[in-house]
Amino acid sequence: MGDKTMTRMLKTFVTASILTTAMSFGAMAQETVLRMSNWLPPSHPIVRDMMIPWAEKLKEASDGRIEVQILDAPLGPPPAHFDLAANGAVDLTFGVHGYTPGRFTLTEIAEMPFLADTSESLSVAFWRVFESDLAQAEEHRGTKVLGVFGHGPGLLFTKGKPVSPLSDLSGAKIRVAGNITNKLAEAMDMVSIQAPSPQSYEILSGGIADGIFFPVESVPFFKLETLVDKALRVPGGLYNVSFFFVMNKAKFDSLSDEDKAAIEEVSGEAFSRMAGQAWDAADAAGMDVIGSTVDFHDATDEELATLREKTQPMFDDLAKAYEAKGLDFDVVMGKLKDEIKAVAAE
């Protein structure tokens, strides 16, 4: 065998070895795919403007090592989603704290009346207080909390039923979203109907409910603009709904320090701020749709005083729940309000 032939064979062998090694390193550096269960349509602001952008930011922060797969169909109903992540059935999910009454107590502080005029100010403040005070109670065991947030100021929308004077609402059947809105309905002498938001059109169009607690964004999104015609609005909102965004703790712990850092870089306050800004934009778009067809009534000073008096027991009850978990409700609420003001002033 000639020298030239030997040289060609050696080059071929070296080239093949380099390719094999490169492929091996490529396999070792293969991306981590995180599976996210989702119970909302892909066009909903939470999916379109929060989860998808977060996934894109994470891919960039991890230099392409982490890919997020948002599942096409939910693996369970909305109330089941926290456990899907906590038990490892999925890696990531989001949901409403109030869909599992009694399980998440401390997060109800962000759902109380008269708190914030924007989702951004509430969501960022909520995260800061969660991180400094609420996380220690470990209400989200089994998960790594990536973010908490709230929607825009909650209103009461009705179908063919006046919202003023408040006495006219007595006995109205209202769809609620959890413990706080249930208590709010009772405080306003209304009858609560528990139902997840995707069922809103069905219960309103079928006459099961006279009205619904919703932020502005949700009315056109759930196609209620032809059903509701009146709304009661107060400074800071009648209520809010607190949401979680979580990752299975064992999955997070299994990642490299570099990948953990990438996740934390795009989560926490950064995610909560992005979520709040997205919801504020969605509320503005929603108002463009319903602003001329829904009669918005801003509560009078007298009505506000009545509402504050009627809802005070809600604050008292939550204060007791905080005390039972070793936290001072007044102190934490003070921090939350201060942070809301700070964010709003930015």
Side-chain angles (χ1 to χ4, degrees):
M1 186 179 293
D3 290 343
K4 290 184 178 180
T5 301
M6 286 290 292
T7 300
R8 283 197 299 271
M9 290 178 64
L10 182 59
K11 285 182 178 179
T12 300
F13 174 76
V14 171
T15 300
S17 297
I18 291 173
L19 287 173
T20 301
T21 302
M23 290 172 66
S24 298
F25 277 112
M28 289 170 60
Q30 190 174 15
E31 66 186 21
T32 295
V33 177
L34 301 178
R35 297 167 68 246
M36 178 189 294
S37 187
N38 162 44
W39 48 276
L40 286 169
S43 58
H44 192 279
I46 291 180
V47 182
R48 183 192 64 210
D49 302 324
M50 300 178 202
M51 296 304 155
I52 292 176
W54 179 84
E56 292 170 347
K57 290 177 183 292
L58 176 57
K59 187 171 184 177
E60 181 180 355
S62 66
D63 295 323
R65 295 186 307 275
I66 305 178
E67 185 89 28
V68 176
Q69 177 192 8
I70 300 178
L71 302 183
D72 293 332
L75 297 185
H81 272 63
F82 180 82
D83 283 328
L84 289 176
N87 297 334
V90 294
D91 301 312
L92 298 161
T93 197
F94 60 88
V96 176
H97 285 110
Y99 280 177
T100 49
R103 182 168 191 173
F104 302 100
T105 304
L106 302 182
T107 55
E108 289 184 357
I109 197 169
E111 303 187 0
M112 302 301 280
F114 320 118
L115 280 181
D117 290 321
T118 67
S119 173
E120 181 181 3
S121 61
L122 176 65
S123 298
V124 174
F126 185 18
W127 171 258
R128 291 175 181 174
V129 169
F130 175 82
E131 192 173 35
S132 65
D133 293 87
L134 309 187
Q136 62 183 278
E138 298 186 343
E139 290 189 332
H140 299 74
R141 282 183 296 276
T143 69
K144 163 78 172 175
V145 180
L146 302 180
V148 292
F149 59 102
H151 59 47
L155 286 72
L156 172 65
F157 291 92
T158 61
K159 176 187 175 186
K161 195 167 189 66
V163 296
S164 180
L166 297 178
S167 57
D168 282 358
L169 290 167
S170 180
K173 302 186 295 286
I174 305 298
R175 175 264 175 188
V176 301
N179 186 44
I180 291 299
T181 45
N182 178 55
K183 288 185 175 183
L184 178 60
E186 291 177 353
M188 296 175 69
D189 302 317
M190 302 186 297
V191 178
S192 299
I193 297 176
Q194 288 276 0
S197 51
Q199 295 178 14
S200 302
Y201 186 91
E202 177 185 353
I203 63 175
L204 277 175
S205 62
I208 298 171
D210 300 308
I212 189 165
F213 285 120
F214 254 164
V216 169
E217 166 276 331
S218 297
V219 173
F221 183 83
F222 290 105
K223 305 187 186 307
L224 308 182
E225 66 269 24
T226 60
L227 296 179
V228 299
D229 51 21
K230 291 181 173 55
L232 176 62
R233 183 167 53 188
V234 304
L238 275 169
Y239 77 100
N240 210 288
V241 167
S242 67
F243 294 81
F244 59 79
F245 176 34
V246 296
M247 180 175 182
N248 175 262
K249 183 68 163 57
K251 182 66 176 181
F252 179 81
D253 289 343
S254 73
L255 299 177
S256 67
D257 289 344
E258 195 175 17
D259 284 351
K260 289 177 185 175
I263 290 174
E264 292 186 329
E265 177 185 335
V266 299
S267 302
E269 183 169 323
F271 170 80
S272 295
R273 185 179 293 277
M274 178 178 69
Q277 291 173 344
W279 213 302
D280 288 335
D283 271 347
M287 186 60 78
D288 288 341
V289 176
I290 68 172
S292 60
T293 59
V294 174
D295 179 17
F296 287 85
H297 171 69
D298 291 309
T300 65
D301 289 343
E302 183 180 353
E303 288 170 337
L304 275 174
T306 298
L307 286 169
R308 290 185 185 278
E309 180 182 356
K310 283 179 172 289
T311 57
Q312 184 56 45
M314 295 167 53
F315 290 84
D316 297 337
D317 288 347
L318 190 53
K320 293 175 184 176
Y322 263 62
E323 183 180 358
K325 295 201 173 185
L327 289 172
D328 188 317
F329 174 75
D330 292 333
V331 170
V332 180
M333 177 59 87
K335 288 183 181 180
L336 181 64
K337 289 182 176 179
D338 286 346
E339 293 291 359
I340 288 170
K341 290 179 182 177
V343 179
E346 290 176 355

